[in-house]
Amino acid sequence: MTADSSAAVFDLARYQDPLTIQRVLHNAKTIAIVGLSNNELRASYFVGYYLKRHGYHVIPVNPRESEILGEKCFKSLADVPVPVDIVNVFRAPDALPGIAEEVVRIGAGTMWCQFGVINEDGARIADAGGVSVIVDRCVKVEHARYAGRMHWLGFNTGRITSIRGGLQ
């Protein structure tokens, strides 16, 4: 048996369950964004702005900033003084195991890893710590999909509509 065949295969689909995503988004109120940038051109800023506009309490976690989106910025998750429902991660994949340990330590409900933030060890650490885990999904895109606003951006939501398509 080779080393590759003895290791369990990382099942990414396990961390992309639509019902889990809907439950998490519906029940969350507070979202800490690790790696939130103060640069308006960065994806993390746009996501934070969007979430704030849709009623979530957004908590920036970035050791290089003091305030982002009008909210006090914290140096680490351990410094956040309120319970966190979702920890949204905008960091390099190799940082995920350490972040997952912090997520478990603070008792957050969910660790949500943005597009491309894929680290098997990080996902397993959070999962083993009793935290829901979502990997390689954008919280903004998923919120828009399940709030029925995805069509504004030109994406097919798969929902039934009364608008007829043009003839081809």
Side-chain angles (χ1 to χ4, degrees), residues 55-67:
Y56 293 99
H57 177 203
V58 172
I59 301 172
V61 178
N62 184 330
R64 294 185 203 113
E65 301 290 342
S66 59
E67 183 179 293

Side-chain angles (χ1 to χ4, degrees), residues 28-163:
K29 292 179 179 46
T30 303
I31 302 176
I33 303 180
V34 177
L36 181 59
S37 173
N38 205 20
N39 180 343
E40 294 178 11
L41 300 176
R42 301 293 302 255
S44 63
Y45 185 93
F46 183 71
V47 167
Y49 179 84
Y50 173 92
L51 293 170
K52 199 169 171 178
R53 278 192 52 117
H54 284 86
Y56 293 99
H57 177 203
V58 172
I59 301 172
V61 178
N62 184 330
R64 294 185 203 113
E65 301 290 342
S66 59
E67 183 179 293
I68 301 174
L69 293 169
E71 301 288 338
K72 179 182 178 186
C73 204
F74 295 92
K75 298 202 179 305
S76 72
L77 288 170
D79 295 330
V80 175
V82 297
V84 175
D85 299 314
I86 299 173
V87 173
N88 186 215
V89 183
F90 277 94
R91 292 284 313 278
D94 61 345
L96 207 51
I99 293 168
E101 289 171 358
E102 274 195 276
V103 168
V104 170
R105 204 173 302 119
I106 69 165
T110 301
M111 182 175 77
W112 191 304
C113 306
Q114 286 293 135
F115 288 137
V117 183
I118 303 167
N119 183 295
E120 184 175 358
D121 292 335
R124 288 191 174 147
I125 289 166
D127 199 22
V131 174
S132 295
V133 180
I134 298 167
V135 175
D136 198 33
R137 289 288 183 254
C138 175
V139 67
K140 183 244 173 276
V141 169
E142 297 303 318
H143 181 272
R145 177 191 327 271
Y146 294 116
R149 294 182 176 91
M150 195 62 132
H151 64 284
W152 291 354
L153 302 173
F155 294 97
N156 180 0
T157 63
R159 295 178 185 247
I160 297 172
T161 179
S162 62
I163 300 171

